[in-house]
Amino acid sequence: MKKQKRSVKLVIVIMLASLLNVQRANSMAIRSFVALPIDQHGYVVRFSFEHLTGTDMGTFITSAAYGLAIDKALLIGIPYQVSPNDKDGFGDVSVLYRHTVLQDDFFSGTSRFALLAGAIVPTDSNRDPAVQAGFVYTFFKNRHEFDIDALYQAGIENRPDSGRYDISWQYRLLPTVYPDWGISPEFNVVTELNGRWSEGNEVTHQVTLGLQFVNSRWVIEGGVIKNLNNNEDLSVILSTRFHF
C-alpha cells in the first residue's frame, strides 16, 4: 500500500512538472515575426492571410522559426500572392538570422535587443536577390509588451532597395493577474504603427488594430490595417501559429 501511494505521488509530481515545463506561446506583433522568443531547439510555424478589401488581392505567408540556441534563431518567411487574372504565385523568400546581444530579465518582465541579418531569395529568375539587416527590441512588463523592429533591404543588381518598420504595443486584457497555479489563456489587444518603403516611392505608413487569443501552444489573431497614405485602403489580416 505504501509503495502504491508513493507511486501515485510520483506520477502526480511528474504530471505537475510537465505542466510547468510546457513551452508557452507568447504574444507578439501581428504584422511582424522577428520579435518572437524561441527556446533552444524549439520551433514555431505561423500561417497568415492578408486581404485588401474591395479587391481580389491577398497574400498568404507561411513563416517558420527555429531556435539554434538560447540567443540565436533562424526565421524564414514564404509569401504566396493571390491576384486577379490568374497571376497567383510565390513571392520572394525572406531568410533572417537573429542574434540576441542584450537581455535583462527582471520581476514580471524582460527586455531584449537583437540584431538581424539575412537575405531575400527570389523564386523567379526574372527577379534579383537582396541582403537585409536590422534590429528588434522588446520590452515586457506585467500586462504590457512593446516590440520595435526595423529592416533595410539592399537590392542587388536591378532590384530596388526597400525597408520596413513595425512598432507594436500589446496589452493583456485577460487575465488581469496570472493564476498561482496552472496555465491560463490570454486575450490581448494589439496596436501597431507599420511602415513599408521601396526605392523611388514614399514611405507607406499604416495603423493596425487587432486581437489575440494566446493558448499554451497555439495562437489565433486578427485585425484590420488602415493605410494612412490612402484613406480608401483597408486590409484585414488573420493568422494562427503553433509552438513546438
Side-chain angles (χ1 to χ4, degrees):
M1 181 65 70
K2 290 183 179 180
K3 289 183 178 180
Q4 185 177 6
K5 289 183 177 180
R6 282 197 295 268
S7 299
V8 171
K9 290 180 180 179
L10 180 60
V11 171
I12 293 174
V13 169
I14 293 174
M15 292 177 63
L16 293 177
S18 299
L19 288 173
L20 292 175
N21 286 324
V22 167
Q23 297 180 17
R24 278 193 58 82
N26 292 273
S27 173
M28 72 169 190
I30 293 179
R31 302 285 306 286
S32 178
F33 195 60
V34 297
L36 186 66
I38 308 293
D39 292 339
Q40 184 174 5
H41 303 313
Y43 58 97
V44 177
V45 179
R46 183 190 194 191
F47 305 99
S48 65
F49 177 68
E50 185 175 326
H51 170 65
L52 180 61
T53 60
T55 72
D56 295 327
M57 299 174 61
T59 304
F60 288 98
I61 300 178
T62 301
S63 304
Y66 178 73
L68 301 169
I70 295 298
D71 58 349
K72 300 176 180 65
L74 184 65
L75 312 169
I76 299 174
I78 307 173
Y80 184 83
Q81 308 288 339
V82 179
S83 59
N85 303 322
D86 295 325
K87 293 184 178 180
D88 301 355
F90 285 100
D92 298 336
V93 179
S94 172
V95 181
L96 279 172
Y97 169 76
R98 185 183 70 197
H99 184 195
T100 302
V101 295
L102 294 172
Q103 180 162 344
D104 179 23
D105 298 323
F106 48 87
F107 182 72
S108 297
T110 187
S111 64
R112 298 185 299 270
F113 179 80
L115 298 176
L116 305 168
I120 296 177
V121 182
T123 57
D124 188 325
S125 59
N126 295 322
R127 296 194 296 265
D128 295 316
V131 294
Q132 52 184 343
F135 71 89
V136 55
Y137 173 74
T138 294
F139 178 84
F140 164 74
K141 184 173 176 61
N142 296 325
R143 299 168 68 183
H144 302 268
E145 179 174 335
F146 296 91
D147 295 319
I148 302 172
D149 65 76
L151 270 175
Y152 186 83
Q153 296 148 340
I156 297 175
E157 295 185 356
N158 296 321
R159 187 186 184 98
D161 294 351
S162 59
R164 60 178 292 164
Y165 74 83
D166 301 281
I167 302 172
S168 175
W169 170 52
Q170 300 126 57
Y171 179 74
R172 190 179 73 241
L173 296 173
L174 293 171
T176 55
V177 178
Y178 282 122
D180 294 332
W181 195 257
I183 297 174
S184 177
E186 296 179 13
F187 290 92
N188 302 315
V189 60
V190 183
T191 303
E192 299 182 20
L193 178 63
N194 317 103
R196 303 293 183 264
W197 168 78
S198 180
E199 187 177 3
N201 300 305
E202 65 178 1
V203 179
T204 298
H205 300 284
Q206 300 167 322
V207 170
T208 302
L209 300 176
L211 292 171
Q212 293 177 328
F213 175 73
V214 182
N215 210 320
S216 61
R217 303 297 293 272
W218 52 268
V219 176
I220 296 177
E221 54 197 357
V224 294
I225 305 165
K226 182 65 175 178
N227 189 334
L228 300 180
N229 298 61
N230 185 341
N231 291 329
E232 296 182 358
D233 282 354
L234 183 69
S235 301
V236 294
I237 185 170
L238 178 65
S239 79
T240 183
R241 51 187 159 98
F242 302 91
H243 292 239
F244 303 93

